[in-house]
Each structure stands twice: as structure tokens, then as C-alpha cells.
Amino acid sequence: MPHLMLEHSGNIRESVDEAGLFRELHAALSEVGGFRVQDFKSRLVRLNAYIGDGTYEQAFVNLDIRTFAGKPADTKRLISQEALRVLGRHFRRTMAETSCDISVQITELNRESYSRTRSEDLASQVPVLQESTSP
């Protein structure tokens, strides 16, 4: 945790360096939000079908930061503002050439309803097949 879900319209002007963008987001959000870099799960989704006012010149970038509830409001505000700052740098050309909104939201997850399993968990449950030693 946290999960970063970055969505953008298909008409952005930049060629997104996904690894570089997320590396910068992870570092910045770790610093202000107290997250561990290794705990981020991030993905980017380009949406070619979107509806605004119907013009090609309307664009958007939205980052949903999904994390467990409990962070103070001031910390959430810092996280959101820092993410917006990073995104503004990465989508500068789109902001200049289109009517673009960049937004950040924090979605709080309830620990009691969140479930997951990890590869390490499954590895201990899978029987290991041993080769026969008989001739």
C-alpha cells in the first residue's frame, strides 16, 4: 500500500515515461506521506474513449491514491499537493496546448474489508514435486 492508479485521456501531448514518472511520484509521496517506496503498486491507464465537451482539445490526467484510512488531514493534503506538483511537471505540454485538468484524489481503504495474498504466501502452500530416485 498505497496503490496509484493514474488515468489520462488519449490526447495528451507527452510520450509518458511511466517508469520515470512513477519513480518520481514514489519518492515524493514517500517523503511527505511516510510510505515505503517498495510498497507502492502503480499503474497507468490510457483512455481513448472519454467524454468531455466533445472536442479533441479537452484532456485530463487523474491520479487516485488508494491507501488505508487513518492519515491526518494535513498529511493527506500534502500528499495530494505533492502528487499534483509532480504531475504538473510531467504533463506541462498538455497543460499548455489543450484544455486539461490534472486532478489527484485520495481514496481511503478500510483495513477490515481489504484482502490480499502474496506470491510468498502461495509458495508455502504449493507441494514441491520431487523426482523419483528409483531406476
Side-chain angles (χ1 to χ4, degrees), residues 7 57 72 121:
E7 298 176 321
E57 295 307 313
D121 300 336

Side-chain angles (χ1 to χ4, degrees), residues 11-57:
N11 62 340
I12 62 167
R13 302 301 199 249
E14 290 78 9
S15 174
V16 180
D17 170 12
E18 295 174 23
L21 171 58
F22 283 123
R23 220 179 357 264
E24 189 174 341
L25 279 169
H26 296 169
L29 299 184
S30 291
E31 188 172 316
V32 298
F35 304 114
R36 296 181 332 155
V37 171
Q38 64 268 31
D39 290 339
F40 282 91
K41 284 105 177 141
S42 301
R43 53 245 187 228
L44 184 139
V45 177
R46 176 187 171 110
L47 299 165
N48 292 318
Y50 54 93
I51 299 172
D53 67 3
T55 68
Y56 184 74
E57 295 307 313

Side-chain angles (χ1 to χ4, degrees), residues 1-3 65-70 106-114:
M1 209 42 80
H3 290 248
I65 302 170
R66 300 172 189 173
T67 187
F68 289 126
I106 296 177
T107 302
E108 292 186 328
L109 303 175
N110 183 312
R111 286 184 188 272
E112 290 77 28
S113 65
Y114 180 80

